[in-house]
Amino acid sequence: MTDTHLNGSGHDTHQHAGTAPMVEEVTDFEVLEIALRELAIEKGLFTAEDHRRYTEHVEQLEPAAGSRFVAKAWLDTEFRRLALDDAITASREMGVDWLHPTGFGTPSDFTAFEVLEDTPTLHHVIVCTLCSCYPRPILGMSPEWYRTPNYRRRIVRWPRQVLAEFGLYLSEDVEVRVEDSNSKHRFMVLPVRPDGTEGWSEEQLAEIVTRDCLIGVALPKPGVTSNAVRPVHPAIRPVTSE
């Protein structure tokens, strides 16, 4: 079956003799974030203290809520139906409030949130091709590889090859659908419950629903409770300028 794809400079540093080695290069995105943050603070949109508290809040989030969400959906037919019809309300049942995610009034991650249901013949994977939009309230911080241009550009063009780099090989009769997140729409994958988990409790099921499963670059498997280590290697199909 044919894959379906939906939507699809550095800064010079100078070193003088006798000085310390060059500092790590600052990316354009980091420069932009610093500039926008300082401007927002100057304009009174939020304070430096607000930013500190929000950063600390986000950094302590984990994908545990998403794992429990999926486990509950596997066991509870009514909750599964709610999750697919109204994912924001279903999230609230799991203790995640997309309207007020921090609880102290700092910038909200509220967006349209959708749960993507996998089937034996359909597999979803999420990406943000423009930057790094990600369902942080329910999955925590995105992994570093999710934010890289290498992943963002290639997953929409060669999804099977990129998934294979994560160790996920799908047969040709499984359609791969790539969903592109944006500033107002976020996604999470609801994978197929694996065989061999009959009679498991919600806690047992949640343990095998890793962050990578919720992004769609892995499948839940009995005995696998951690994300795969991402090796650093050259791209199979690097993106080159035209």
Side-chain angles (χ1 to χ4, degrees):
M1 184 172 290
T2 303
D3 297 340
T4 302
H5 310 147
L6 300 188
N7 300 335
S9 95
H11 301 276
D12 293 336
T13 57
H14 302 277
Q15 182 179 4
H16 300 284
T19 62
M22 288 185 183
V23 298
E24 184 176 353
E25 182 179 4
V26 178
T27 68
D28 291 345
F29 285 116
E30 290 173 308
V31 172
L32 179 60
E33 186 276 327
I34 293 170
L36 287 175
R37 183 208 320 160
E38 295 302 318
L39 180 61
I41 292 173
E42 179 182 330
K43 296 295 184 181
L45 299 179
F46 54 83
T47 67
E49 176 64 12
D50 289 334
H51 182 269
R52 182 191 66 78
R53 294 180 66 195
Y54 181 71
T55 300
E56 291 178 352
H57 168 80
V58 171
E59 287 179 346
Q60 59 84 34
L61 293 176
E62 297 180 350
S67 299
R68 290 187 290 105
F69 186 109
V70 168
K72 184 175 178 63
W74 282 343
L75 294 174
D76 187 333
T77 302
E78 290 300 317
F79 180 79
R80 184 190 192 94
R81 186 176 298 111
L82 177 63
L84 298 175
D85 292 342
D86 187 350
I88 289 180
T89 298
S91 297
R92 195 174 298 119
E93 289 195 14
M94 305 305 298
V96 176
D97 188 344
W98 282 76
L99 289 172
H100 305 285
T102 64
F104 50 81
T106 49
S108 171
D109 265 321
F110 174 71
T111 58
F113 177 52
E114 183 178 351
V115 172
L116 308 170
E117 183 180 26
D118 283 354
T119 72
T121 58
L122 174 63
H123 179 81
H124 293 91
V125 59
I126 64 173
V127 68
C128 177
T129 54
L130 291 179
C131 54
S132 58
C133 295
Y134 189 76
R136 287 192 300 262
I138 201 162
L139 294 192
M141 289 295 288
S142 59
E144 184 177 357
W145 56 259
Y146 181 88
R147 303 189 292 271
T148 62
N150 188 36
Y151 173 77
R152 288 161 32 215
R153 295 171 182 171
R154 296 169 62 239
I155 190 67
V156 295
R157 301 178 70 182
W158 304 289
R160 291 183 186 275
Q161 290 88 334
V162 175
L163 291 177
E165 293 173 19
F166 284 88
L168 178 56
Y169 299 89
L170 300 171
S171 61
E172 288 300 319
D173 63 338
V174 177
E175 177 186 352
V176 179
R177 184 171 299 170
V178 180
E179 292 287 355
D180 193 357
S181 309
N182 57 52
S183 62
K184 295 298 181 184
H185 207 141
R186 309 292 168 86
F187 303 97
M188 183 182 79
V189 176
L190 174 59
V192 175
R193 180 175 175 176
D195 294 334
T197 60
E198 297 78 10
W200 283 26
S201 68
E202 185 175 315
E203 290 73 22
Q204 289 174 300
L205 291 170
E207 287 184 356
I208 65 171
V209 183
T210 65
R211 177 206 64 206
D212 286 0
C213 297
L214 299 167
I215 295 173
V217 297
L219 296 178
K221 297 179 181 179
V224 179
T225 59
S226 60
N227 301 299
V229 176
R230 293 287 294 127
V232 177
H233 52 72
I236 292 178
R237 295 177 180 234
V239 174
T240 57
S241 57
E242 299 296 337

mmCIF file with all atom_site columns, all heavy atoms in Angstrom, residues 4-5 69 93 141 149:
data_model
loop_
_atom_site.group_PDB
_atom_site.id
_atom_site.type_symbol
_atom_site.label_atom_id
_atom_site.label_alt_id
_atom_site.label_comp_id
_atom_site.label_asym_id
_atom_site.label_entity_id
_atom_site.label_seq_id
_atom_site.pdbx_PDB_ins_code
_atom_site.Cartn_x
_atom_site.Cartn_y
_atom_site.Cartn_z
_atom_site.occupancy
_atom_site.B_iso_or_equiv
_atom_site.pdbx_formal_charge
_atom_site.auth_seq_id
_atom_site.auth_comp_id
_atom_site.auth_asym_id
_atom_site.auth_atom_id
_atom_site.pdbx_PDB_model_num
ATOM 1  N N   . THR A 1 4   ? 1.020   7.396  2.871  1.00 0.00 ? 4   THR A N   1
ATOM 2  C CA  . THR A 1 4   ? 0.259   8.641  2.808  1.00 0.00 ? 4   THR A CA  1
ATOM 3  C C   . THR A 1 4   ? 0.957   9.678  3.659  1.00 0.00 ? 4   THR A C   1
ATOM 4  O O   . THR A 1 4   ? 1.206   9.458  4.830  1.00 0.00 ? 4   THR A O   1
ATOM 5  C CB  . THR A 1 4   ? -1.180  8.444  3.337  1.00 0.00 ? 4   THR A CB  1
ATOM 6  O OG1 . THR A 1 4   ? -1.797  7.424  2.559  1.00 0.00 ? 4   THR A OG1 1
ATOM 7  C CG2 . THR A 1 4   ? -1.972  9.734  3.206  1.00 0.00 ? 4   THR A CG2 1
ATOM 8  N N   . HIS A 1 5   ? 1.284   10.829 3.084  1.00 0.00 ? 5   HIS A N   1
ATOM 9  C CA  . HIS A 1 5   ? 1.959   11.875 3.822  1.00 0.00 ? 5   HIS A CA  1
ATOM 10 C C   . HIS A 1 5   ? 1.022   13.063 3.922  1.00 0.00 ? 5   HIS A C   1
ATOM 11 O O   . HIS A 1 5   ? 0.652   13.642 2.908  1.00 0.00 ? 5   HIS A O   1
ATOM 12 C CB  . HIS A 1 5   ? 3.258   12.311 3.134  1.00 0.00 ? 5   HIS A CB  1
ATOM 13 C CG  . HIS A 1 5   ? 4.140   11.156 2.771  1.00 0.00 ? 5   HIS A CG  1
ATOM 14 N ND1 . HIS A 1 5   ? 4.942   11.149 1.667  1.00 0.00 ? 5   HIS A ND1 1
ATOM 15 C CD2 . HIS A 1 5   ? 4.334   9.969  3.388  1.00 0.00 ? 5   HIS A CD2 1
ATOM 16 C CE1 . HIS A 1 5   ? 5.597   10.017 1.595  1.00 0.00 ? 5   HIS A CE1 1
ATOM 17 N NE2 . HIS A 1 5   ? 5.240   9.283  2.631  1.00 0.00 ? 5   HIS A NE2 1
ATOM 18 N N   . PHE A 1 69  ? -2.798  7.017  29.688 1.00 0.00 ? 69  PHE A N   1
ATOM 19 C CA  . PHE A 1 69  ? -3.907  7.330  28.780 1.00 0.00 ? 69  PHE A CA  1
ATOM 20 C C   . PHE A 1 69  ? -4.138  6.153  27.825 1.00 0.00 ? 69  PHE A C   1
ATOM 21 O O   . PHE A 1 69  ? -5.264  5.680  27.655 1.00 0.00 ? 69  PHE A O   1
ATOM 22 C CB  . PHE A 1 69  ? -3.551  8.604  28.012 1.00 0.00 ? 69  PHE A CB  1
ATOM 23 C CG  . PHE A 1 69  ? -4.638  9.162  27.140 1.00 0.00 ? 69  PHE A CG  1
ATOM 24 C CD1 . PHE A 1 69  ? -5.276  10.345 27.488 1.00 0.00 ? 69  PHE A CD1 1
ATOM 25 C CD2 . PHE A 1 69  ? -5.001  8.541  25.953 1.00 0.00 ? 69  PHE A CD2 1
ATOM 26 C CE1 . PHE A 1 69  ? -6.264  10.884 26.680 1.00 0.00 ? 69  PHE A CE1 1
ATOM 27 C CE2 . PHE A 1 69  ? -5.985  9.062  25.143 1.00 0.00 ? 69  PHE A CE2 1
ATOM 28 C CZ  . PHE A 1 69  ? -6.629  10.246 25.505 1.00 0.00 ? 69  PHE A CZ  1
ATOM 29 N N   . GLU A 1 93  ? -9.483  13.625 32.362 1.00 0.00 ? 93  GLU A N   1
ATOM 30 C CA  . GLU A 1 93  ? -9.730  12.479 33.229 1.00 0.00 ? 93  GLU A CA  1
ATOM 31 C C   . GLU A 1 93  ? -8.421  11.851 33.712 1.00 0.00 ? 93  GLU A C   1
ATOM 32 O O   . GLU A 1 93  ? -8.397  11.186 34.750 1.00 0.00 ? 93  GLU A O   1
ATOM 33 C CB  . GLU A 1 93  ? -10.563 11.420 32.496 1.00 0.00 ? 93  GLU A CB  1
ATOM 34 C CG  . GLU A 1 93  ? -12.009 11.813 32.267 1.00 0.00 ? 93  GLU A CG  1
ATOM 35 C CD  . GLU A 1 93  ? -12.857 10.627 31.871 1.00 0.00 ? 93  GLU A CD  1
ATOM 36 O OE1 . GLU A 1 93  ? -12.391 9.466  32.025 1.00 0.00 ? 93  GLU A OE1 1
ATOM 37 O OE2 . GLU A 1 93  ? -13.989 10.849 31.408 1.00 0.00 ? 93  GLU A OE2 1
ATOM 38 N N   . MET A 1 141 ? 8.676   16.929 27.692 1.00 0.00 ? 141 MET A N   1
ATOM 39 C CA  . MET A 1 141 ? 9.542   17.546 26.694 1.00 0.00 ? 141 MET A CA  1
ATOM 40 C C   . MET A 1 141 ? 9.808   16.581 25.542 1.00 0.00 ? 141 MET A C   1
ATOM 41 O O   . MET A 1 141 ? 9.950   15.374 25.735 1.00 0.00 ? 141 MET A O   1
ATOM 42 C CB  . MET A 1 141 ? 10.873  17.954 27.336 1.00 0.00 ? 141 MET A CB  1
ATOM 43 C CG  . MET A 1 141 ? 10.752  19.134 28.285 1.00 0.00 ? 141 MET A CG  1
ATOM 44 S SD  . MET A 1 141 ? 10.259  20.654 27.435 1.00 0.00 ? 141 MET A SD  1
ATOM 45 C CE  . MET A 1 141 ? 11.764  21.024 26.540 1.00 0.00 ? 141 MET A CE  1
ATOM 46 N N   . PRO A 1 149 ? 16.347  19.003 12.209 1.00 0.00 ? 149 PRO A N   1
ATOM 47 C CA  . PRO A 1 149 ? 15.931  19.046 10.795 1.00 0.00 ? 149 PRO A CA  1
ATOM 48 C C   . PRO A 1 149 ? 16.050  17.684 10.126 1.00 0.00 ? 149 PRO A C   1
ATOM 49 O O   . PRO A 1 149 ? 15.277  17.364 9.230  1.00 0.00 ? 149 PRO A O   1
ATOM 50 C CB  . PRO A 1 149 ? 16.900  20.074 10.183 1.00 0.00 ? 149 PRO A CB  1
ATOM 51 C CG  . PRO A 1 149 ? 17.277  20.960 11.326 1.00 0.00 ? 149 PRO A CG  1
ATOM 52 C CD  . PRO A 1 149 ? 17.361  20.036 12.519 1.00 0.00 ? 149 PRO A CD  1
#
